[in-house]
Amino acid sequence: MPNTDERQRATQGPDLTQKEVPDRQIDPSESVTLFAIALGAIGALVGLVAGIVFLSDSAFGAAVLNCLIAVLAGGSAGVVAGGTVGAAIGVMRGVRVPKQVDG
């Protein structure tokens, strides 16, 4: 004769509170970092090209400073945009950071 625990599990059906975890999971912080680095590098390159294309007839030091500012501005814009895209993808996919189990 089955005990009461076995009968309760048989009548309740499968436990739906536990979801299957996919084999490969990307942590949302990893996707944010990946997109931030990638778009930051692209933004810095675009800033450098823009700084070179729009060089003025000023001295060499001023031209280098303008290119440096363009690289920093493009890189920071890329980091912000990449972080936003990575976070949006992490949220849309519903990926959660794994909880640390103290045992």
Side-chain angles (χ1 to χ4, degrees):
M1 178 181 237
N3 62 20
T4 56
D5 291 337
E6 290 176 358
R7 281 186 281 175
Q8 284 178 347
R9 275 188 264 146
T11 58
Q12 290 175 352
D15 186 13
L16 299 177
T17 59
Q18 293 181 352
K19 295 182 181 179
E20 289 185 27
V21 178
D23 293 337
R24 185 172 180 203
Q25 243 183 0
I26 297 175
D27 189 6
S29 64
E30 292 173 356
S31 68
V32 168
T33 304
L34 173 69
F35 278 102
I37 289 172
L39 290 184
I42 291 170
L45 183 62
V46 168
L48 179 63
V49 170
I52 292 171
V53 168
F54 295 110
L55 278 177
S56 62
D57 292 334
S58 59
F60 179 74
V64 169
L65 183 61
N66 286 341
C67 286
L68 178 65
I69 291 171
V71 166
L72 292 175
S76 64
V79 166
V80 170
T84 303
V85 169
I89 289 173
V91 168
M92 286 184 349
R93 290 189 62 212
V95 178
R96 305 257 191 258
V97 177
K99 293 182 180 178
Q100 187 176 18
V101 178
D102 295 330

